[in-house]
Amino acid sequence: MPSSPLDNIIHELGGPDAVAELTGRKGRLVRDEEGRTVYKRRNVDLGCSMERINLAEKQAFMDGRKLVAIISEAASSGISLQADRRVPNTRKRLHITLELPWSADQCIQQCGRTHRSNQIHGPEYQLFMTACGGERRFASTVAKRLQQLGAITKGDRRAADASDLSMFDVDTKWGKKAYDELIELLSNPLFSSTRPPPPYVRRALGLKANDELHARWKEYLDDAEEAVASVGINTDDKGSVKGFLNRLLGMCVKMQNKVFDHFMAILEEKVRVAKQNGEFDDGVVDIRGESVKVAANFPREMKKDPISGVPLLHFKLDVDRGLSFKRAMEMLDEKAKSNETGKLYPREGFYVSKRPLIGREKEGANGVKALAFLIQRPMSAFAVPSTYIHTYGIHRPNTGLGATDSFESFTEGITPRFSKLTPEAAKDKWEALYRDGLRMCSHGPNCKHGSRCTVGKRVQQQHLICGAVIPFWAVIKEHLEYQKKGGRDGSLQMVKVMRIVRVRCVGADGREQRLVGVEISDKGVAKLDAALNNQPAPQDVKPDVKPDLHQLGRGGASSSSSHGGGASSSDVKPDVRGLRVGAHVKVHGLATDAGKKLNGKSGKIERWDAAMQPSGRWIVRINGQQGTNALQAKNLGAL
Ligand SMILES: [Zn+2]
């Protein structure tokens, strides 16, 4: 009989003297002095009763007598193994999950075994999974929960180069879109095969763009359709991503991986396009920079929330993206140490461009050339190593970390663009570009746009609004959420641009501070200033809930207009038809059944709600009726 994996693991880790076992087992197979495998009851060596054995093992671990603990689901409830400051063993815990539980909640609970209050440091988790497509389902749900719990956020410094958990997350609205597209394709292989697969799908499926492409693509589609049907995925009624991943487990491993890779390729493309269009919600994003300072005379108060007295603050930040040569070397050294080989991978390191920078061709003998260093990005957790194309973070002296790209497209392109450089050869040139970045744009001292040009300048201004964001949310959202952007086809579209960011920066007093707020462009600042000064009062986030809040809100309106300097009620939403706060009005022209009852009735305008669509509404109290109605200007006549 083969020995149990658990016994093998214990043996490999040094036997029962080194390993605390917290399971429901009564005994185990151990090797005696002569190397024979013998059965031993677990309580014999510990000298305690069977009931207390897990507690004794836990104590041995917490005392530091045993440095490895193996804990099973059966024994895990109520046992804590964190690096508690009250016990001798305060080493940092490395928590390895050998088998992902079926539910994220369960996983969170397991993770909680080593992550509790009063600990000196948090544990490091390693979640193991097989490379089978279906098993990623669990990783996906687990990642989602961990993220909700704030275990990690996008752009978190610690997470930036480690495996970013968000790449496990496929059960999202983009996942659903990708899944729908996949099922659409597979539901009619005959038709689908008439259109060649896009490059990202070809790459994922390992299809080469040659004479055989059509045949191979059709073959895959046929096989995949059959596999999908065989596990009961209904191509007519598109279900959820979760259901799909669950069913995927039923396919043979090879097909499972192919279909999953296909799905991931579509998903990644969808996310890429969404990011480009500003539709992708990144969650809270960190502003990155080597140094971030609050500009002089900031923060500035934009407006005060009349209810709480908390100001809405505008921060201007000077974000220096530049990387000194010293910093570049530090980053490369750090990377070398973290590599398995202990040194940089062959393609990592400094590069110089073959052509000079545009605008700087005439400086010196050969012009000023661009420099960069590359650091290989961690492989995606879903990657198949043999076919994986590595990507590299491209760092520049003036702008820091820029795009991530494959090595081929970085160095080659149409004409060879970059060649490798030793650190010694890079040093002086790097430092010169680093210094230049402070004073001039990438186009050099003679840029035809003059000092206005900001391309490639090290320090960039970013604006943030913080403080009483919630009370002013309606106004902020109305003016900043969308921005007109020209599409490739020359059309104008409204694109979602608002982002919540956080940043660690140095204030005017030299002290470090952390800010969380809404990112805003300099045009946005002007727009918001204008809007705030033309609005009556900031609207409550939930209007019409508490009448007494409205009362307070109106009080704020009058105080802020007097603050504006001699402003009268005319700075309340100007309207040629005499519509203003306090005006008596008559309702007309409403077409809905509920609305028709109001036609002909009169009432008084209470306030203007800019957040209501389309383009704001008047909140009117109709005489003799409970509550208020939100009405458009076209349905109101001043009396
Ligand atoms: Zn320029």
Side-chain angles (χ1 to χ4, degrees), residues 441-444 447-450 453-455:
C441 63
S442 304
H443 313 117
C447 175
K448 61 177 181 226
H449 301 292
C453 182
T454 56
V455 176

Side-chain angles (χ1 to χ4, degrees), residues 37 84-85 202 367:
T37 305
D84 195 311
R85 58 181 80 246
R202 275 203 334 253

Side-chain angles (χ1 to χ4, degrees), residues 345-418:
Y345 295 134
R347 287 170 168 178
E348 291 179 321
F350 289 98
Y351 287 80
V352 62
S353 69
K354 301 236 157 141
R355 289 159 179 272
L357 286 159
I358 294 165
R360 306 197 67 176
E361 299 88 347
K362 297 204 170 77
E363 292 176 55
N366 300 312
V368 177
K369 290 174 177 166
L371 289 179
F373 69 85
L374 300 193
I375 283 183
Q376 187 176 304
R377 304 282 301 159
M379 210 193 314
S380 151
F382 300 142
V384 179
S386 58
T387 58
Y388 188 72
I389 298 167
H390 281 289
T391 56
Y392 295 81
I394 300 168
H395 302 74
R396 297 182 193 269
N398 49 339
T399 54
L401 175 60
T404 296
D405 209 345
S406 73
F407 184 74
E408 286 69 24
S409 83
F410 170 69
T411 52
E412 287 162 17
I414 301 161
T415 51
R417 298 195 299 147
F418 278 88

Side-chain angles (χ1 to χ4, degrees), residues 5-254:
L6 187 51
D7 287 330
N8 279 343
I9 293 171
I10 292 174
H11 178 72
E12 291 296 329
L13 291 170
D17 291 340
V19 179
E21 177 185 335
L22 296 105
T23 65
R25 299 202 300 175
K26 287 196 166 59
R28 61 189 158 214
L29 295 170
V30 293
R31 311 254 170 105
D32 64 9
E33 287 84 25
E34 281 135 55
R36 280 175 312 187
T37 305
V38 293
Y39 180 79
K40 213 169 180 181
R41 289 174 71 83
R42 283 176 57 211
N43 62 338
V44 174
D45 289 337
L46 290 164
C48 66
S49 69
M50 218 36 150
E51 288 73 39
R52 296 195 51 81
I53 189 162
N54 283 339
L55 285 173
E57 286 281 52
K58 178 203 153 195
Q59 206 51 50
F61 177 76
M62 295 302 263
D63 288 348
R65 284 179 279 128
K66 297 183 178 185
L67 294 179
V68 182
I70 295 179
I71 186 163
S72 74
E73 189 60 48
S76 72
S77 69
I79 286 198
S80 312
L81 300 170
Q82 82 275 21
D84 195 311
R85 58 181 80 246
R86 293 165 299 195
V87 303
N89 180 7
T90 55
R91 293 169 179 229
K92 188 174 175 68
R93 310 297 198 239
L94 171 66
H95 184 149
I96 302 172
T97 306
L98 275 187
E99 194 178 30
L100 280 172
W102 282 85
S103 83
D105 282 325
Q106 231 177 343
C107 184
I108 300 301
Q109 214 168 17
Q110 279 188 13
C111 290
R113 299 285 136 233
T114 53
H115 191 27
R116 309 220 134 209
S117 56
N118 212 28
Q119 62 190 6
I120 288 185
H121 24 228
E124 179 182 332
Y125 294 117
Q126 292 191 352
L127 310 181
F128 276 39
M129 58 177 166
T130 63
C132 292
E135 213 185 333
R136 293 166 211 194
R137 187 199 85 97
F138 312 119
S140 142
T141 43
V142 167
K144 205 166 202 172
R145 289 308 309 277
L146 282 172
Q147 257 172 343
Q148 278 169 2
L149 291 173
I152 222 157
T153 59
K154 190 75 58 73
D156 189 318
R157 274 213 156 183
R158 291 159 301 163
D161 287 313
S163 60
D164 186 344
L165 274 181
S166 60
M167 65 188 165
F168 291 87
D169 232 355
V170 294
D171 194 6
T172 60
K173 89 171 173 190
W174 306 106
K176 175 75 176 113
K177 285 183 187 202
Y179 167 64
D180 288 349
E181 186 177 319
L182 177 72
I183 294 303
E184 193 78 50
L185 269 174
L186 297 185
S187 64
N188 193 348
L190 200 63
F191 174 69
S192 302
S193 64
T194 58
R195 291 170 298 174
Y200 55 90
V201 170
R202 275 203 334 253
R203 234 174 288 137
L205 295 173
L207 297 170
K208 294 211 170 69
N210 54 23
D211 298 348
E212 286 180 30
L213 177 63
H214 180 254
R216 285 280 147 75
W217 173 228
K218 181 160 186 316
E219 190 185 341
Y220 161 75
L221 289 169
D222 284 338
D223 291 351
E225 187 219 7
E226 207 181 299
V228 160
S230 74
V231 293
I233 295 171
N234 192 341
T235 50
D236 300 328
D237 170 35
K238 292 165 193 154
S240 67
V241 177
K242 218 166 164 181
F244 160 67
L245 294 171
N246 240 339
R247 297 269 166 115
L248 210 57
L249 281 171
M251 289 185 199
C252 75
V253 172
K254 201 175 154 204

Side-chain angles (χ1 to χ4, degrees), residues 531-568:
L532 286 169
N533 289 321
N534 285 326
Q535 292 297 320
Q539 305 304 341
D540 308 313
V541 178
K542 284 183 196 156
D544 299 335
V545 183
K546 287 183 186 163
D548 54 338
L549 277 184
H550 292 166
Q551 216 65 46
L552 279 167
R554 278 214 304 281
S558 57
S559 73
S560 65
S561 34
S562 61
H563 173 77
S568 65

